[in-house]
Amino acid sequence: MSILWFLLIISISIFVHELGHYLAARVQGVGVKNFGVGFGPTLLKFDRWGTTFRLNAIPLGGYAEIEGMMPGDTHGYARLSGLGKFFILVAGVVMNLLLAWGVLGALSSIQGIPQTQAAVTEVLPGSLAEQAGFKVGDRILSLNGVKLESYDQVTRFRQTPGEKVFVVLRDGVETTVRFNWDNTQTRLGIVYRPEITGYTRINFFQGFARAVRETVVAVPRFVQEFVGSIARILSGQQAQGVAGPVGIVNITGQAAQQGLGTLLGLLAAINLSLAVFNLLPIPGLDGGRILVLVVNGLSGGRIKPELEARLAYGGFLFLILLIVLVTINDIRNLSGG
């Protein structure tokens, strides 16, 4: 069941992203030959408005084949101004952000903003966590005197070396757990899950605005943690700041146990992550294409379409390698935090 929820959430996220590119092209009079969610064998296909829409068997990607984006083209996308091209390139990210903010706004008004804490479900034998005194059933309340607002903030102890002081709730009594983190360890050695402690309800527009503010604040930290995690993975180390398909399936399974509200929250989180990730200046991603567009605008077109195509292909190969390495990292993380 976790895999089915994962496929549904990923498919929705990809569909919304590609829909943004599609709509941005069509409103400017640019045709879209093909619109697809997923790769591999086609399960469903139909033609509408000059576009062939496809639902494919492997829902781990998507595409909107916009006319005029191939090297040497002089029509469609190629004839647009720089601003028009930017509108098409950024539209997918904008759609992911709008979906995420809308979902979070709706959840804030209907269910309320969840207050969560991390509940320890396993302490690995011989680990640093066992030596420090963590116990199964501990509810983690704070780190170095700062209250943790949600369970996913537990990993903040990895950001800097030094003494770490967790306050946990154990059998109704607050207990202190201390250990030293010197950034040479690969894991702490705890497995934990989110536990909702309550909700605070606000209206939709307040929730939407809150989601926007928190996104702006979180982006620099997200990029820093993502880049740091990728650097550790590429160097052969374990990282917990990033999740691939296996990790997301596991997270989805945990969210499904919490109910529909938690699944919708996960949908919002994945769309926020997808938006930020796509803006990274990596060839093949929207951010890479936007960077090329800006450089060409400032330099008078020094990056030719042929070179951009080669860069995009290299970026695609890098992303495939990254998915493989992140998946391996997911499997390692499932054995302990």
Side-chain angles (χ1 to χ4, degrees), residues 195-208:
E195 185 175 86
I196 297 176
T197 59
Y199 296 90
T200 302
R201 292 180 63 180
I202 56 179
N203 66 48
F204 172 82
F205 298 102
Q206 289 175 320
F208 189 96

Side-chain angles (χ1 to χ4, degrees), residues 18-237:
E18 298 302 336
L19 182 63
H21 294 311
Y22 172 85
L23 294 176
R26 294 307 300 266
V27 298
Q28 297 185 90
V30 177
V32 180
K33 294 181 180 179
N34 293 287
F35 181 100
V37 174
F39 298 107
T42 299
L43 303 177
L44 178 66
K45 180 176 72 172
F46 61 92
D47 296 318
R48 290 288 188 281
W49 310 297
T51 301
T52 299
F53 294 87
R54 289 183 171 87
L55 176 62
N56 300 317
I58 307 174
L60 297 179
Y63 55 90
E65 189 180 342
I66 298 170
E67 295 181 353
M69 295 193 74
M70 297 299 292
D73 286 344
T74 58
H75 66 293
Y77 175 87
R79 67 170 175 77
L80 296 177
S81 66
L83 188 60
K85 293 176 180 177
F86 175 79
F87 179 47
I88 290 177
L89 295 176
V90 80
V93 166
V94 171
M95 288 291 284
N96 285 129
L97 290 174
L98 290 176
L99 174 61
W101 294 337
V103 168
L104 292 174
L107 286 175
S108 298
S109 62
I110 298 172
Q111 174 181 271
I113 301 170
Q115 310 299 316
T116 64
Q117 60 184 197
V120 178
T121 59
E122 184 180 356
V123 179
L124 299 183
S127 65
L128 178 61
E130 184 182 55
Q131 296 170 17
F134 277 102
K135 304 291 183 183
V136 172
D138 284 351
R139 269 65 178 173
I140 301 176
L141 304 178
S142 67
L143 169 61
N144 290 354
V146 179
K147 180 181 177 182
L148 300 183
E149 300 294 337
S150 65
Y151 84 101
D152 57 352
Q153 295 178 351
V154 171
T155 56
R156 288 182 176 178
F157 75 87
R158 293 176 174 272
Q159 293 178 357
T160 56
E163 184 183 43
K164 307 298 176 181
V165 181
F166 278 105
V167 174
V168 303
L169 186 65
R170 180 181 300 163
D171 299 325
V173 179
E174 292 189 4
T175 302
T176 299
V177 178
R178 299 173 181 268
F179 61 91
N180 186 66
W181 184 260
D182 58 18
N183 275 345
T184 63
Q185 303 97 328
T186 58
R187 64 180 64 179
L188 174 57
I190 59 172
V191 179
Y192 54 89
R193 61 175 175 79
E195 185 175 86
I196 297 176
T197 59
Y199 296 90
T200 302
R201 292 180 63 180
I202 56 179
N203 66 48
F204 172 82
F205 298 102
Q206 289 175 320
F208 189 96
R210 180 179 182 273
V212 174
R213 290 195 303 270
E214 291 194 347
T215 300
V216 173
V217 172
V219 165
R221 186 176 70 249
F222 173 89
V223 173
Q224 180 183 17
E225 291 182 355
F226 176 81
V227 172
S229 296
I230 295 303
R232 286 194 292 273
I233 290 174
L234 291 176
S235 64
Q237 301 179 48

Side-chain angles (χ1 to χ4, degrees), residues 272-313:
L272 289 173
S273 299
L274 186 62
V276 176
F277 177 73
N278 266 284
L279 281 180
L280 295 176
I282 299 174
L285 295 179
D286 295 332
R289 294 188 177 97
I290 291 173
L291 178 62
V292 170
L293 181 66
V294 171
V295 170
N296 277 339
L298 296 176
S299 65
R302 291 189 176 182
I303 301 179
K304 301 302 180 184
E306 294 78 9
L307 175 58
E308 182 180 359
R310 289 195 294 270
L311 290 174
Y313 181 70

